[in-house]
Amino acid sequence: MGLLTGKTALITGAARGIGKAIAMKFAAEGANIAFTDLVIDESGKETEAEIAALGVKAKGYASNAANFAETETVVNQIKEDFGSIDILVNNAGITKDGLMMRMSEAQWDAVIAVNLKSAFNFIHACTPIMMRQRSGSIINMSSVVGVHGNAGQSNYAASKAGLIALAKSIGQEVGSRGIRANAIAPGFIDTAMTQALPEDIRKEWISKIPLRRGGTVEDIANVATFLASDMSSYVTGQVIQVDGGMNM
């Protein structure tokens, strides 16, 4: 029996990347998986099939996480399809980098909407379900730049810092109902995006990391599994940095 057997997890932005890795790890531990993405294209259908192949129920839902009404609709549908929502992972995110002096209002608004407002939307829709169950785990995917900032990413850093404060606030609001809320702050993770960086920039980043390597999506998924499971039943309002010691 897995750590998450019998639980249903809802993961946003999980058709690929870190979100997919979390979905696969949760499924391997026995959780049924509902995931959302802006569109469920061929790769989304493949993700759905890969998760289902692990012997759990899996379904992808096309939904704009930044849209409040769409989120209410999709969460209601997931509750109907799966019967419960025990774990919420707010993973949907985008970047639109640029120095503040050159950043457009549209760049700022888009990143705040997708990265931060989406988490509000899903928490708002899921907490009534969790409160009736008197249990639940909410995990916000933040970033180390949400802890220490990063030049050229003020919109992204602000959204990720907001996810930390949101988790701490929600943890205080709903703790008495058995619901926990935490944040994960990944550092330099080997994904398609970071692998596309020039080799000299990658080496410079890694040289600053005490463990002298980039993280893997599995490193993030392992911590998410801990926070989703009953192993962390007395952990709430925390931010766990998964960064190889980059930001001690």
Side-chain angles (χ1 to χ4, degrees):
M1 200 157 113
L3 286 171
L4 304 176
T5 298
K7 295 182 186 291
T8 294
L10 165 52
I11 306 166
T12 67
R16 55 194 65 79
I18 289 174
K20 179 180 177 179
I22 292 171
M24 295 294 290
K25 179 68 176 176
F26 282 9
E29 291 293 344
N32 295 315
I33 306 293
F35 68 92
T36 69
D37 224 300
L38 198 54
V39 293
I40 301 298
D41 53 14
E42 214 42 54
S43 78
K45 287 292 182 186
E46 285 172 17
T47 295
E48 186 179 274
E50 285 178 54
I51 297 167
L54 294 170
V56 300
K57 182 174 180 177
K59 188 170 181 183
Y61 298 80
S63 173
N64 178 2
N67 184 294
F68 185 84
E70 275 190 43
T71 298
E72 292 281 333
T73 300
V74 79
V75 166
N76 288 335
Q77 187 62 56
I78 290 166
K79 173 67 166 66
E80 191 175 310
D81 292 346
F82 285 81
S84 70
I85 298 174
D86 306 290
I87 302 153
L88 168 64
V89 182
N90 288 307
N91 172 73
I94 59 170
T95 57
K96 288 187 180 293
D97 297 346
L99 295 171
M100 175 57 78
M101 294 296 290
R102 297 176 191 154
M103 185 175 291
S104 68
E105 182 183 15
Q107 285 175 304
W108 175 272
D109 287 350
V111 169
I112 297 299
V114 175
N115 296 9
L116 183 56
K117 183 170 185 280
S118 67
F120 161 75
N121 292 343
F122 274 89
I123 292 170
H124 190 276
C126 289
T127 46
I129 297 167
M130 292 179 172
M131 286 171 79
R132 284 192 292 273
Q133 296 168 177
R134 298 196 72 83
S135 68
S137 176
I138 297 167
I139 302 167
N140 287 350
M141 295 303 301
S142 181
S143 165
V144 291
V145 307
V147 179
H148 63 66
N150 196 34
Q153 285 194 307
S154 60
N155 51 0
Y156 185 76
S159 71
K160 294 299 186 178
L163 286 171
I164 292 171
L166 180 59
K168 289 177 178 288
S169 300
I170 297 302
Q172 291 180 40
E173 287 187 21
V174 296
S176 64
R177 300 298 185 94
I179 304 167
R180 300 177 294 108
N182 294 285
I184 297 174
F188 186 86
I189 307 301
D190 277 321
T191 62
M193 187 172 70
T194 56
Q195 283 162 9
L197 291 170
E199 189 58 29
D200 57 330
I201 291 176
R202 282 176 54 83
K203 283 181 178 174
E204 185 186 349
W205 269 80
I206 290 169
S207 72
K208 296 173 182 173
I209 299 170
L211 291 184
R212 294 295 188 270
R213 68 172 177 87
T216 66
V217 291
E218 288 76 22
D219 289 326
I220 307 301
N222 288 338
V223 174
T225 302
F226 166 71
L227 290 176
S229 77
D230 293 339
M231 290 182 72
S232 60
S233 61
Y234 202 53
V235 179
T236 194
Q238 302 305 306
V239 52
I240 300 179
Q241 297 179 81
V242 187
D243 62 3
M246 182 171 72
N247 185 41
M248 290 188 185

Short mmCIF file of all heavy atoms in Angstrom, two decimals, residues 144 187 208-213 241-248:
data_model
loop_
_atom_site.label_atom_id
_atom_site.label_comp_id
_atom_site.label_asym_id
_atom_site.label_seq_id
_atom_site.Cartn_x
_atom_site.Cartn_y
_atom_site.Cartn_z
N VAL A 144 12.90 29.55 -5.17
CA VAL A 144 13.89 30.26 -4.34
C VAL A 144 13.90 31.75 -4.66
O VAL A 144 14.22 32.56 -3.79
CB VAL A 144 15.32 29.68 -4.50
CG1 VAL A 144 15.41 28.29 -3.89
CG2 VAL A 144 15.76 29.67 -5.95
N GLY A 187 14.99 25.21 -6.48
CA GLY A 187 16.11 26.01 -6.95
C GLY A 187 16.35 25.75 -8.44
O GLY A 187 15.42 25.75 -9.24
N LYS A 208 27.68 27.48 -7.85
CA LYS A 208 27.23 28.18 -6.65
C LYS A 208 26.37 27.30 -5.73
O LYS A 208 25.93 27.74 -4.67
CB LYS A 208 26.43 29.43 -7.04
CG LYS A 208 27.26 30.47 -7.79
CD LYS A 208 26.37 31.59 -8.30
CE LYS A 208 27.19 32.61 -9.10
NZ LYS A 208 26.33 33.62 -9.74
N ILE A 209 26.11 26.07 -6.18
CA ILE A 209 25.26 25.16 -5.40
C ILE A 209 26.14 24.23 -4.58
O ILE A 209 26.97 23.50 -5.15
CB ILE A 209 24.35 24.35 -6.35
CG1 ILE A 209 23.44 25.29 -7.15
CG2 ILE A 209 23.52 23.33 -5.57
CD1 ILE A 209 22.68 24.61 -8.27
N PRO A 210 26.00 24.22 -3.25
CA PRO A 210 26.85 23.35 -2.42
C PRO A 210 26.84 21.88 -2.85
O PRO A 210 27.88 21.21 -2.77
CB PRO A 210 26.27 23.53 -1.02
CG PRO A 210 25.75 24.93 -1.02
CD PRO A 210 25.19 25.14 -2.40
N LEU A 211 25.72 21.35 -3.30
CA LEU A 211 25.68 19.94 -3.73
C LEU A 211 26.21 19.75 -5.15
O LEU A 211 26.26 18.62 -5.64
CB LEU A 211 24.25 19.39 -3.61
CG LEU A 211 23.73 19.21 -2.18
CD1 LEU A 211 22.36 18.56 -2.19
CD2 LEU A 211 24.70 18.39 -1.32
N ARG A 212 26.58 20.85 -5.81
CA ARG A 212 27.26 20.84 -7.11
C ARG A 212 26.50 20.08 -8.21
O ARG A 212 27.08 19.41 -9.06
CB ARG A 212 28.68 20.23 -6.98
CG ARG A 212 29.64 21.06 -6.15
CD ARG A 212 29.94 22.42 -6.80
NE ARG A 212 30.99 23.13 -6.12
CZ ARG A 212 30.81 23.97 -5.11
NH1 ARG A 212 29.60 24.20 -4.65
NH2 ARG A 212 31.83 24.60 -4.55
N ARG A 213 25.19 20.22 -8.19
CA ARG A 213 24.39 19.67 -9.29
C ARG A 213 23.05 20.39 -9.33
O ARG A 213 22.62 20.99 -8.34
CB ARG A 213 24.14 18.16 -9.12
CG ARG A 213 23.23 17.79 -7.95
CD ARG A 213 22.88 16.31 -7.97
NE ARG A 213 22.06 15.89 -6.84
CZ ARG A 213 20.72 15.94 -6.81
NH1 ARG A 213 20.05 16.41 -7.86
NH2 ARG A 213 20.05 15.51 -5.75
N GLN A 241 12.79 24.61 0.94
CA GLN A 241 13.63 24.94 -0.20
C GLN A 241 14.33 23.67 -0.70
O GLN A 241 15.04 23.02 0.06
CB GLN A 241 14.65 26.01 0.17
CG GLN A 241 13.99 27.33 0.57
CD GLN A 241 15.01 28.38 0.96
OE1 GLN A 241 15.59 29.03 0.10
NE2 GLN A 241 15.18 28.57 2.25
N VAL A 242 14.10 23.34 -1.96
CA VAL A 242 14.70 22.16 -2.57
C VAL A 242 15.68 22.68 -3.61
O VAL A 242 15.35 22.83 -4.79
CB VAL A 242 13.63 21.25 -3.20
CG1 VAL A 242 14.26 19.94 -3.69
CG2 VAL A 242 12.53 20.95 -2.19
N ASP A 243 16.88 23.05 -3.12
CA ASP A 243 17.79 23.81 -3.99
C ASP A 243 19.26 23.41 -3.84
O ASP A 243 20.14 24.13 -4.29
CB ASP A 243 17.64 25.31 -3.69
CG ASP A 243 18.01 25.69 -2.25
OD1 ASP A 243 18.45 24.77 -1.50
OD2 ASP A 243 17.88 26.86 -1.87
N GLY A 244 19.51 22.26 -3.23
CA GLY A 244 20.89 21.81 -3.07
C GLY A 244 21.73 22.70 -2.18
O GLY A 244 22.96 22.65 -2.23
N GLY A 245 21.07 23.53 -1.39
CA GLY A 245 21.79 24.44 -0.49
C GLY A 245 22.12 25.79 -1.10
O GLY A 245 22.85 26.59 -0.51
N MET A 246 21.56 26.06 -2.29
CA MET A 246 21.88 27.30 -2.99
C MET A 246 21.49 28.54 -2.19
O MET A 246 22.16 29.56 -2.23
CB MET A 246 21.14 27.32 -4.35
CG MET A 246 21.42 28.53 -5.21
SD MET A 246 20.73 28.32 -6.86
CE MET A 246 18.99 28.49 -6.54
N ASN A 247 20.41 28.44 -1.42
CA ASN A 247 19.91 29.61 -0.70
C ASN A 247 19.75 29.27 0.78
O ASN A 247 18.66 29.14 1.30
CB ASN A 247 18.55 30.05 -1.30
CG ASN A 247 18.03 31.33 -0.69
OD1 ASN A 247 18.79 32.26 -0.46
ND2 ASN A 247 16.75 31.37 -0.42
N MET A 248 20.87 29.10 1.46
CA MET A 248 20.84 28.74 2.87
C MET A 248 20.52 29.95 3.74
O MET A 248 20.86 31.05 3.41
CB MET A 248 22.18 28.13 3.30
CG MET A 248 22.43 26.78 2.71
SD MET A 248 23.91 26.05 3.44
CE MET A 248 24.07 24.54 2.50
#
